[in-house]
Amino acid sequence: MSNTEQLREMAKTLVTPHKGILAADQSPRTMNKQLEALGLPPEAELRRKYRQLLFTTEGLQEYVTGVILHDGTIRNHADDGTEFSDLLIAKGVVPIIKVDKSTVPHTNFEGEVVTQGLDGLADRLQEYYDMGARAAKWRAVFTISENTPTEQNILFDCMTLARYAALCQEAGIVPMVEPEVLFSGSHSLERAEEVTTMVLQKLFEQLQWNNVDLEGVILKSSMVLAGSEWSEQTSAADVAQATLRTFMNSVPPEVPGIVFLSGGQTPQRATENLDAIAELEAQEGGFPWELAFSFSRGLEQPVQEAWQGKDENIEAAQAALIKRLQLNSMADQGTYDPSME
Ligand code: 13P
């Protein structure tokens, strides 16, 4: 198989129907904050134990095609010395590596950030490929306010995403391009749709301009949501309509799949919105892309609450993960039942 064919195969595998992707790629800093919120010390050993809990969950592979890992996690191992990446591969789960190096302020553009990490990326990708990674993730962040995002900020981040995607494909790694339009803010649903459409159109223009093979790409997107501080109620059906309309207006049909981040919604709300999206998709007779979940907080919040850092709670925490995965798998088919919560 040629490199292009392999990438296309892998991209399709990642969006196998009714399965999702577990985003366990919190940076050590974010993971430490999550530990501290549980009243636990921000220690490397606790972070390792928590990842081990997630990856050794029995039946994980029935609900996820891949797991997104941070650099520190792909280099880490389980108690018995098995590398986390090998543990996942043995289950038939694809290790996905987060390769961006987070955001920094966008000089001269107040209130906006740009994502860094292109320097040395080709070498890092080669190393991650050798460790078993077959997909990589890069997150760009857009903030909605009266004056943002600016055209310059969108262009810069989309050019960067396109460059990263090209380097990934060259290395035999499927790029999971993630332009996140933040949920925080006081914007309306219409404004979120306008901004997300603008960002996605620019992203695909840049991907095509850089000769990235769209059949070997996964889009990781935010759902189109009114801001967390917006005064009016929006229903899951409203979110579904705005989200699918946005994709129809911006995502080329060649793209095999779109996966969602949860973005700070409650786990229940993220599942409910995913379900409404799947229902609308079925009503409309299907869309060109496979749609799936790739939540971090939306999957892991209940796991962390059940775990509390205690070995005796590992079983309960793994049960909480499987339950959330099952509910999201149902939502992916439009058959989520809130009474199962
Ligand atoms: P959330 O689901 O918590 O928004 O995280 C998404 C993400 O991009 C992590 O890979």
Side-chain angles (χ1 to χ4, degrees), residues 13-16 18-26 31 34 47-70 73-74 84 87-88 91-98 135-137 176 178 218 220 259-262 267 274 292-304 317-326 328-329:
T13 302
L14 288 170
V15 288
T16 303
H18 318 320
K19 288 192 178 186
I21 289 170
L22 169 63
D25 61 323
Q26 300 96 320
M31 189 70 242
Q34 294 180 354
R47 297 199 300 269
R48 188 191 68 82
K49 277 187 144 181
Y50 174 64
R51 262 60 185 252
Q52 171 169 267
L53 172 171
L54 295 177
F55 307 156
T56 56
T57 298
E58 217 167 296
L60 181 71
Q61 67 276 16
E62 283 162 39
Y63 301 99
V64 308
T65 57
V67 175
I68 315 178
L69 307 167
H70 196 270
T73 312
I74 201 169
F84 281 143
L87 202 155
L88 293 170
K91 287 178 176 244
V93 173
V94 180
I96 304 169
I97 182 75
K98 169 196 166 78
K137 192 201 87 165
M176 189 176 281
E178 182 183 16
I218 300 291
K220 179 159 178 169
V259 298
F260 292 105
L261 58 99
S262 56
L274 179 67
F293 58 93
S294 173
F295 305 155
S296 180
R297 286 164 289 177
L299 287 170
E300 292 184 37
Q301 213 168 289
V303 182
Q304 295 176 1
Q318 291 180 327
L321 176 61
I322 289 293
K323 179 175 174 194
R324 209 67 241 152
L325 287 168
Q326 274 170 341
N328 281 297
S329 171

